[in-house]
Amino acid sequence: RVLSLELNKDRDVERIHGSGINTLDIEPVEGRYMLSGGSDGVIVLYDLENLSRKPSYTCKALCSVGRSHPDVHRFSVETVQWYPHDTGMFTSSSFDKTLKIWDTNTLQSADVFHFEETVYSHHMSPVATKHCLIAVGTKSPKVQLCDLKSGSCSHILQGHRQEVLAVSWSPRHEYILATASADSRVKLWDVRRASGCLSTLDQHNGEKSKASSEAANTAHNGRVNGLCYTNDGLHLLTIGTDDRMRLWNSSTGENTLVNYGKVCNESRKGLKFTVSCGCNPEFAFVPYGSTIAVYTVFTGELITMLRGHYSTVDCCVFQPNFQELYSGSKDCNILAWIPALREPVPDDISEKSLPQQHLNPAYEDAWSSSDDEG
């Protein structure tokens, strides 16, 4: 289904945003409601379900925190995330140096965390049962952990030397956090340990020659501005401004050396990319200029480029129940990418008489089955 993703001509997402869309999130409980955050501070909540039951429909915006809302963010919203366990709450963080906790039903801010610096990214663990910590990456090198229960910033992780552009909790271990920074480093932390980080990922796997001028233990030769775990938590993908994407074994910290080729990345802030879930093989969806590049995670193959946006794509999010993808762009549009429906083939027609364009080349049989060659 992912191999046949295409821009859906029958589905639109209602256009509400008057400026670029930085961040999208689909709630994990039903996979039905989606949040978007814009560079003008506006947050919109959509219902992705087709209530009309018609083949062509528009995903309606149920409500929004618009410019006139008393609690609206003053500057660009960089991250929105649903509370992982129910849809009654969601979170947003912004360049206005705040992280806000929202009550979905009243659409009012239930709590606000204030920071001294611009906020680039925040994340709540999808699997945590023993803690309610929100990790926050800001212009400061210190990673902040905010406790939803107490409403205070409980502690700080120190080790990075420059701003923290992306943070992501492991979907496998509730206390493990990955952070990516402009200092070229990616660090893994066990937040129960006071002593600092578990490991700093090294692109050279410890085999760097002494003669090189490069600093040891860098994940990229540039700012690291994107992080994404695979759904089983066994691997971590990172993206840097060195135009590289790397796949790491998250338990050993080893660079798996998968080569994705040049992954153009000119983002000066965090890059929101995502991976598929429940596919074999798994895919990574990476904003790439005004397109979205689709790679196989474990072999590094560039499968396709999804074209449809008119301007830079800033974020994309995967809907695992139906293997759909939604993307947000500076062109103010959210696009829905849906697997193309194949025409059902009657059973009595043999494969040989089929027009070949139905077959994705990835599935074609390379063996010759004709008898006259032997």
Side-chain angles (χ1 to χ4, degrees):
R1 285 173 68 87
V2 170
L3 290 173
S4 62
L5 277 178
E6 62 178 29
L7 192 55
N8 192 329
K9 296 175 276 297
D10 300 320
R11 186 181 318 183
D12 284 318
V13 179
E14 191 176 348
R15 184 170 165 155
I16 304 283
H17 285 281
S19 69
I21 294 156
N22 295 327
T23 170
L24 294 169
D25 192 41
I26 296 175
E27 45 85 17
V29 183
E30 291 179 81
R32 173 175 171 180
Y33 299 104
M34 180 169 74
L35 289 167
S36 62
S39 46
D40 54 0
V42 170
I43 298 170
V44 184
L45 197 164
Y46 304 88
D47 185 348
L48 301 180
E49 194 154 301
N50 180 7
L51 297 173
S52 71
R53 296 282 177 261
K54 294 190 179 107
S56 295
Y57 71 101
T58 298
C59 299
K60 289 285 184 212
L62 296 179
C63 52
S64 66
V65 180
R67 292 303 316 149
S68 56
H69 191 290
D71 297 332
V72 69
H73 281 291
R74 294 204 315 282
F75 304 130
S76 173
V77 175
E78 291 300 303
T79 312
V80 287
Q81 189 192 359
W82 287 101
Y83 179 61
H85 308 294
D86 74 64
T87 55
M89 183 163 80
F90 65 89
T91 54
S92 63
S93 59
S94 161
F95 278 176
D96 67 10
K97 306 181 183 175
T98 64
L99 163 68
K100 295 191 176 187
I101 316 298
W102 299 86
D103 179 322
T104 312
N105 300 313
T106 63
L107 222 61
Q108 284 171 329
S109 166
D111 206 353
V112 186
F113 294 91
H114 294 274
F115 301 94
E116 285 166 20
E117 307 276 2
T118 300
V119 181
Y120 286 111
S121 168
H122 78 270
H123 193 227
M124 276 178 287
S125 167
V127 294
T129 54
K130 298 185 185 71
H131 72 75
C132 280
L133 297 173
I134 305 177
V136 184
T138 70
K139 218 167 186 151
S140 149
K142 297 171 183 159
V143 180
Q144 315 257 355
L145 297 178
C146 299
D147 192 337
L148 261 185
K149 280 202 181 83
S150 67
S152 66
C153 280
S154 58
H155 60 285
I156 286 171
L157 305 175
Q158 299 199 43
H160 283 297
R161 294 171 195 174
Q162 291 181 49
E163 53 194 8
V164 178
L165 297 168
V167 294
S168 181
W169 292 95
S170 161
R172 196 176 185 87
H173 303 290
E174 66 175 290
Y175 293 105
I176 303 296
L177 175 72
T179 59
S181 164
D183 64 9
S184 306
R185 289 175 171 80
V186 173
K187 290 182 178 287
L188 299 179
W189 315 78
D190 180 334
V191 298
R192 294 168 299 187
R193 286 172 45 153
S195 59
C197 90
L198 285 174
S199 64
T200 302
L201 300 183
D202 175 17
Q203 59 182 310
H204 305 290
N205 289 333
E207 292 165 19
K208 195 69 197 142
S209 69
K210 300 284 183 284
S212 167
S213 58
E214 277 171 38
N217 281 30
T218 54
H220 288 265
N221 302 325
R223 298 153 59 86
V224 192
N225 58 354
L227 275 183
C228 189
Y229 274 97
T230 54
N231 286 283
D232 58 13
L234 295 175
H235 291 86
L236 177 68
L237 275 166
T238 62
I239 284 185
T241 54
D242 54 359
D243 292 340
R244 288 281 176 260
M245 181 157 75
R246 297 208 161 92
L247 180 72
W248 310 81
N249 177 319
S250 56
S251 55
T252 64
E254 191 179 3
N255 179 0
T256 63
L257 304 175
V258 173
N259 182 4
Y260 300 94
K262 185 177 181 186
V263 183
C264 280
N265 172 7
E266 287 160 11
S267 174
R268 288 192 296 282
K269 47 187 195 178
L271 187 73
K272 307 280 197 290
F273 70 107
T274 191
V275 291
S276 63
C277 173
C279 299
N280 186 12
E282 297 287 357
F283 300 93
F285 304 96
V286 184
Y288 199 112
S290 63
T291 67
I292 301 149
V294 183
Y295 296 92
T296 50
V297 170
F298 295 105
T299 60
E301 214 179 328
L302 175 60
I303 297 289
T304 185
M305 305 285 270
L306 302 176
R307 300 175 198 281
H309 282 288
Y310 302 115
S311 182
T312 308
V313 179
D314 282 324
C315 54
C316 50
V317 63
F318 190 70
Q319 208 288 18
N321 307 1
F322 303 111
Q323 268 97 41
E324 299 166 351
L325 186 75
Y326 292 84
S327 58
S329 159
K330 284 193 173 55
D331 63 14
C332 312
N333 289 321
I334 297 173
L335 297 183
W337 307 86
I338 313 293
L341 286 171
R342 299 253 167 95
E343 295 298 315
V345 179
D347 294 339
D348 54 343
I349 301 180
S350 75
E351 292 243 325
K352 287 199 180 71
S353 61
L354 273 180
Q356 283 303 300
Q357 71 264 20
H358 278 300
L359 289 172
N360 185 311
Y363 301 134
E364 269 183 45
D365 192 335
W367 297 96
S368 163
S369 57
S370 62
D371 299 331
D372 44 78
E373 286 173 18

